[in-house]
Amino acid sequence: MNKRFILTVIGVLTVSLGFSQANILNAKSPQEIGVKTDAQIALDNDKPLEYGYVDDRDILYSRMTWEKVVLDERVNFPLYYPIDTNNIGKNRRSLFDVLMASIKSGKIENIYDDSYFNNKRTLKDIQAAMVLVDTTELGREQINAGEELSPEYVRRVQIDAGYISEYRIKGMWYFDKRLGELKYRLLGIAPVAPDVNFLDQETPDLVELFWVFFPDAREVLHQAKTFNNENSAIPLSFDHLLNSRRFNGYVYQEENVQGDRKISEYISDNALMQLLESDRVKDKIRNFEMDMWSY
């Protein structure tokens, strides 16, 4: 019993050491904050928890679902903030900034244009969809008058973290008959923002900027930490937050015989009924596990 308690304490201390901001209390200058000591580096085994192997023969039941994670909800704030990074430390970034920085640096090599991961996109493709360069009315008057266009009459808008309104995630619920439990595996994630060409409209259409195959991004999402409201000494990684489903999502699509049609395609112009249908899909999946133990 004492041995088990000691191992538990050591495990908690190791996790705390790995997650907390390194050297903040011992730093003699701001440049030393976040720099790990040799002892910390030697003890560091900070990697995302590996998924266990699941044989296809062990999957008794599965259902693919697509969900919306709306960032207006308080429980989803850790995925949204901070949106202004000018006056905050380099260790604090939003999920969108982490994804974009990893794509630009090549740490995330593959991005896709849909949730089926059929067609790849390039960084140049998504940057073109995220930037709007337009001439104002006064600029058009200059051009029509035969004058040279002044730089102040050129409007440039770029989609950044502040424009992200939701994330769409794709995952599979499956019943592992070997373990006897219902489990979830996240497969893809996409940031969603208003169409940059229609930002002036009152309710512009939302578009998926790109899709990332989640297992490809687990390493960078594990290294990036999000704020923990309960204890800032132990921030959560984005990988941990998403895999443990510490967010609220609404099912907007499930795999079905009608070509994986969306809920909005057969329940239109009624947000309440769409929400109830989303709950029905969730209940249908959860009830399968409950029915397995009903005799």
Side-chain angles (χ1 to χ4, degrees):
M1 183 69 179
N2 291 334
K3 183 177 179 182
R4 183 178 301 175
F5 175 76
I6 292 172
L7 290 175
T8 302
V9 172
I10 292 174
V12 171
L13 291 176
T14 302
V15 171
S16 300
L17 180 64
F19 282 139
S20 60
Q21 191 172 359
N23 208 36
I24 190 169
L25 298 180
N26 301 313
K28 295 181 174 59
S29 67
Q31 290 74 23
E32 294 181 6
I33 296 177
V35 179
K36 294 184 179 181
T37 64
D38 293 338
Q40 287 175 318
I41 295 174
L43 292 173
D44 192 5
N45 188 26
D46 194 16
K47 296 181 180 179
L49 184 65
E50 293 185 8
Y51 292 142
Y53 176 75
V54 181
D55 195 293
D56 290 340
R57 293 172 296 181
D58 292 332
I59 300 176
L60 183 64
Y61 166 87
S62 70
R63 179 69 67 183
M64 197 77 70
T65 60
W66 289 257
E67 295 174 81
K68 293 180 181 179
V69 181
V70 181
L71 299 182
D72 284 343
E73 297 186 36
R74 184 176 297 275
V75 69
N76 298 329
F77 280 178
L79 298 173
Y80 181 66
Y81 290 103
I83 56 175
D84 183 4
T85 58
N86 293 323
N87 300 312
I88 200 166
K90 294 182 179 179
N91 61 312
R92 295 279 304 281
R93 290 294 182 268
S94 68
L95 176 57
F96 179 74
D97 286 334
V98 171
L99 291 174
M100 285 303 302
S102 301
I103 292 170
K104 292 177 180 177
S105 65
K107 293 181 180 179
I108 297 179
E109 297 181 359
N110 300 314
I111 52 178
Y112 303 86
D113 64 357
D114 61 19
S115 61
Y116 295 97
F117 313 111
N118 292 324
N119 301 313
K120 290 186 179 181
R121 303 192 72 182
T122 64
L123 178 60
K124 186 177 180 179
D125 293 335
I126 63 175
Q127 286 178 331
M130 293 169 56
V131 178
L132 172 66
V133 179
D134 193 15
T135 305
T136 64
E137 191 65 33
L138 291 175
R140 295 190 186 96
E141 291 179 4
Q142 271 191 326
I143 295 174
N144 293 334
E147 300 175 6
E148 184 178 354
L149 179 63
S150 301
E152 63 266 24
Y153 297 141
V154 177
R155 184 173 66 116
R156 190 176 191 275
V157 180
Q158 180 166 355
I159 297 295
D160 56 19
Y163 284 98
I164 304 302
S165 59
E166 64 185 52
Y167 285 93
R168 294 179 185 171
I169 63 173
K170 175 185 179 181
M172 188 174 81
W173 292 94
Y174 65 95
F175 187 87
D176 190 328
K177 66 180 182 181
R178 182 172 59 87
L179 299 176
E181 61 180 343
L182 185 70
K183 305 186 76 173
Y184 178 79
R185 180 69 59 85
L186 204 159
L187 298 176
I189 185 168
V192 178
D195 191 328
V196 71
N197 298 301
F198 302 98
L199 290 177
D200 294 334
Q201 294 184 0
E202 186 176 351
T203 54
D205 293 334
L206 299 178
V207 295
E208 299 168 354
L209 299 178
F210 55 85
W211 277 88
V212 173
F213 185 59
F214 189 78
D216 279 350
R218 288 197 67 206
E219 187 66 39
V220 297
L221 294 181
H222 179 75
Q223 296 299 324
K225 310 300 180 183
T226 184
F227 188 74
N228 184 352
N229 281 321
E230 303 299 328
N231 185 358
S232 59
I234 310 178
L236 299 170
S237 71
F238 284 111
D239 177 69
H240 181 190
L241 185 146
L242 291 167
N243 272 311
S244 58
R245 291 188 60 86
R246 298 178 66 149
F247 58 82
N248 185 44
Y250 302 94
V251 175
Y252 70 91
Q253 182 180 353
E254 66 167 331
E255 60 178 351
N256 50 55
V257 70
Q258 292 91 356
D260 299 348
R261 66 175 178 173
K262 298 179 181 179
I263 290 176
S264 59
E265 293 179 13
Y266 60 93
I267 301 178
S268 59
D269 301 326
N270 193 325
L272 176 59
M273 294 305 296
Q274 290 175 1
L275 184 60
L276 292 175
E277 176 67 6
S278 172
D279 289 339
R280 186 194 68 81
V281 173
K282 290 181 180 179
D283 289 341
K284 178 178 64 175
I285 295 171
R286 286 194 293 259
N287 287 341
F288 179 88
E289 182 183 32
M290 299 298 296
D291 292 342
M292 289 297 297
W293 309 114
S294 299
Y295 297 94

